[in-house]
Amino acid sequence: MRVVLISTYELGRQPFGLASPAAWLRAAGAEVTCADLAVTTLPEEAIRHAGLVAFYLPMHTATRMAAEPLRQVRILNPHVHLVAYGLYAPLNAEYLYGLGVKTLIGGEFEAELVRVYKAISSDPEPHQRSPEGYPVPSLHRSTAPSAHIHRERLAFVTPDRSNLPPLTAYAQLRTTQGDRVVGYTEASRGCKHTCRHCPIVPIYGGTFRIVSRDVVMADIRQQVLAGAQHITFGDPDFFNGPGHAIPLVQALHAEFPHVSYDVIIKVEHLLRHADLLPILRDTGCAFVTSAVESTDDTVLERFAKHHTRADFIHAVKLMHTIGLALSPTFVTFTPWTTRETYCDLLALIADLDLIEHVAPIQYAIRLLIPAGSLLLELSEVRELVQPFNAQSLYYPWRHPNPHIDALYDKIHRVAQRSVPRREIFAAVWELAQQSPAPEQLFDLANKPIPYVTEPWYC
């Protein structure tokens, strides 16, 4: 039976979320076609002959972008069994059900996709029944299907990237020496932590799962052979399991000393495992991304980030001393943002010599409250949000001060300009402070750090 796996968007990366299940499904006997709609078109002929089409939905943007291709798939093959898998599939069950999806999978999805494939391929009339053996509900029913969330430990296999677009079709690593071809892999999934604003938490509930070192290295090896000069590790926190992470990057550096990499690490873990940071530096880590989110301690407490403004400052100075680049990310516009706290963030970025470290879009990230968000545990959030928007897939909110929403709109437009980071910072500063940025802010020693050219982060 033919299976089509579709990704709509994954931050400019060759999708691990297609390559990994493709390997599992091919081993089970499926004829698999992978389509990344970020860089290619819908494979219409494959869809017409498919018994199963599965959409990978790891993020909010990808889920919104799936609506139109889902409609097209149903036109091309009205009887195909539609699956949605990834973090945002269970969170948006009602919406996806309305688009014709029959099975929703969250968490560890590979083994479950194989189970669905086997159930459908063994059914003489697969379009009439669900994988559980029950009649598929009418699309006009008001009740949504149940979502299958799996957290079991899987014996991962090497992802199969054989029919994905080449790595050169994706975002590149920009350095002062020129651009480098980027590969992408995952050494773990889930997260030990339960930050309230994070979409991982409703699915994994504080658990994380390791991908074995042999599998990760095999995946890196095939990408290097395909031209990768840099590897992005997509783990939500690379130091959830430092005993797994450190031997992995040491093995990477030993086998491919010319290949650089980047990772994501919490501020809390940067400080707790400061003794390990020189190993990252010495094994080719180009930069570390850290979800700082805010420099306002009251907001950090609401988010349950378990670090403080002082911790962030400490981490920046620590990284500078070690010689390891830190790329912080922020949720700059929240219901609690004031002009004063926003200006304070800009001043701190300048004071810590981070102007070249912050991606421009970070100045205009607005808090997203999706279905299932733990932020809804807070009464002040429940009182603030409007009813869930079933098309936009989030709880809308307005800032108590309309001038802050207006400031967001202006900064969002500025942040999308294709100009140097310092120019963006100067323009944002002028909008927020209502005065030009002092010239001395740009006389610092800070130099550009490597960054991946995909401009978005959501």
Side-chain angles (χ1 to χ4, degrees):
M1 186 180 79
R2 182 181 289 276
V3 176
V4 179
L5 301 177
I6 297 175
S7 172
T8 58
Y9 177 68
E10 199 182 353
L11 291 171
R13 304 160 175 164
Q14 190 187 68
F16 182 92
L18 298 190
S20 182
W24 286 66
L25 288 161
R26 285 175 180 138
E31 183 181 353
V32 181
T33 297
C34 293
D36 182 2
L37 303 188
V39 296
T40 189
T41 57
L42 204 65
E44 294 185 1
E45 192 61 25
I47 289 168
R48 286 190 182 96
H49 295 91
L52 170 64
V53 174
F55 280 76
Y56 178 50
L57 306 178
M59 54 196 300
H60 179 263
T61 301
T63 309
R64 294 276 315 269
M65 293 176 69
E68 178 56 24
L70 273 165
R71 185 190 69 81
Q72 294 177 42
V73 168
R74 290 179 62 195
I75 292 172
L76 291 165
N77 189 341
H79 300 304
V80 73
H81 190 98
L82 283 172
V83 174
Y85 65 102
L87 288 177
Y88 274 77
L91 297 180
N92 296 287
E94 192 76 43
Y95 170 79
L96 294 166
Y97 178 63
L99 294 173
V101 172
K102 298 170 185 174
T103 301
L104 301 164
I105 305 170
E108 306 301 275
F109 47 76
E110 287 88 348
E112 185 66 6
L113 279 169
V114 170
R115 191 184 73 81
V116 173
Y117 159 74
K118 288 182 176 179
I120 294 172
S121 60
S122 64
D123 193 322
E125 297 185 46
H127 61 278
Q128 295 297 330
R129 309 187 73 80
S130 73
E132 292 75 24
Y134 299 106
V136 174
S138 164
L139 296 180
H140 300 290
R141 287 271 299 278
S142 61
T143 56
S146 60
H148 303 273
I149 297 176
H150 299 270
R151 299 172 184 159
E152 69 271 27
R153 289 179 172 84
L154 301 181
F156 289 98
V157 300
T158 304
D160 187 342
R161 301 176 179 273
S162 58
N163 72 336
L164 285 170
L167 295 176
T168 51
Y170 295 91
Q172 305 296 291
L173 182 76
R174 185 141 296 164
T175 75
T176 54
Q177 291 79 42
D179 289 357
R180 297 169 68 86
V181 178
V182 176
Y184 174 84
T185 195
E186 297 176 4
S188 66
R189 288 192 188 145
C191 188
K192 286 182 176 179
H193 300 271
T194 54
C195 303
R196 284 196 183 100
H197 64 303
C198 180
I200 298 170
V201 179
I203 305 302
Y204 280 91
T207 62
F208 86 111
R209 294 291 176 249
I210 291 295
V211 181
S212 76
R213 190 191 316 167
D214 288 345
V215 169
V216 179
M217 283 302 302
D219 190 26
I220 291 171
R221 197 171 292 118
Q222 67 178 342
Q223 292 183 79
V224 172
L225 289 173
Q229 301 163 302
H230 176 90
I231 298 294
T232 288
F233 286 97
D235 307 46
D237 192 316
F238 200 60
F239 275 179
N240 268 323
H244 172 58
I246 291 299
L248 176 57
V249 295
Q250 290 173 324
L252 166 59
H253 186 65
E255 186 168 350
F256 301 110
H258 65 287
V259 174
S260 57
Y261 65 90
D262 69 273
V263 297
I264 302 168
I265 302 176
K266 283 172 61 73
V267 169
E268 176 185 358
H269 285 167
L270 291 173
L271 300 180
R272 182 182 303 168
H273 302 295
D275 58 317
L276 302 179
L277 298 180
I279 299 176
L280 298 185
R281 177 198 62 203
D282 295 341
T283 53
C285 184
F287 63 93
V288 175
T289 299
S290 191
V292 177
E293 313 301 38
S294 178
T295 53
D296 181 335
D297 283 336
T298 60
V299 174
L300 290 169
E301 185 175 353
R302 288 182 176 102
F303 285 179
K305 283 299 296 181
H306 298 291
H307 72 255
T308 64
R309 173 192 176 93
D311 291 335
F312 167 55
I313 294 171
H314 183 189
V316 172
K317 294 179 178 178
L318 173 67
M319 297 284 279
H320 179 73
T321 299
I322 291 170
L324 193 56
L326 178 67
S327 180
T329 64
F330 301 99
V331 181
T332 36
F333 284 89
T334 74
W336 311 286
T337 300
T338 66
R339 188 177 290 271
E340 290 72 26
T341 60
Y342 191 88
C343 290
D344 175 73
L345 169 64
L346 297 180
L348 187 60
I349 287 171
D351 185 57
L352 294 174
D353 206 7
L354 291 175
I355 293 173
E356 291 287 356
H357 293 233
V358 179
I361 196 61
Q362 296 304 317
Y363 299 120
I365 295 293
R366 183 179 172 88
L367 178 64
L368 181 73
I369 306 179
S373 173
L374 268 64
L375 282 170
L376 296 169
E377 294 177 344
L378 302 178
S379 59
E380 62 179 308
V381 173
R382 293 195 301 274
E383 293 167 3
L384 172 80
V385 298
Q386 299 167 26
F388 186 76
N389 187 315
Q391 296 305 310
S392 299
L393 305 181
Y394 60 79
Y395 289 91
W397 58 270
R398 291 185 182 138
H399 197 283
N401 181 350
H403 294 294
I404 299 299
D405 283 338
L407 178 64
Y408 164 78
D409 290 337
K410 294 175 183 177
I411 290 176
H412 186 260
R413 287 192 291 271
V414 167
Q416 297 181 74
R417 296 177 186 169
S418 297
V419 297
R421 289 183 172 188
R422 292 191 175 207
E423 290 185 30
I424 297 288
F425 181 85
V428 170
W429 178 286
E430 186 163 354
L431 285 170
Q433 299 276 12
Q434 299 178 316
S435 63
E439 287 294 328
Q440 60 265 31
L441 290 182
F442 304 101
D443 294 333
L444 302 173
N446 183 243
K447 297 179 181 179
I449 67 167
Y451 64 92
V452 177
T453 55
E454 173 62 28
W456 199 243
Y457 190 89
C458 181

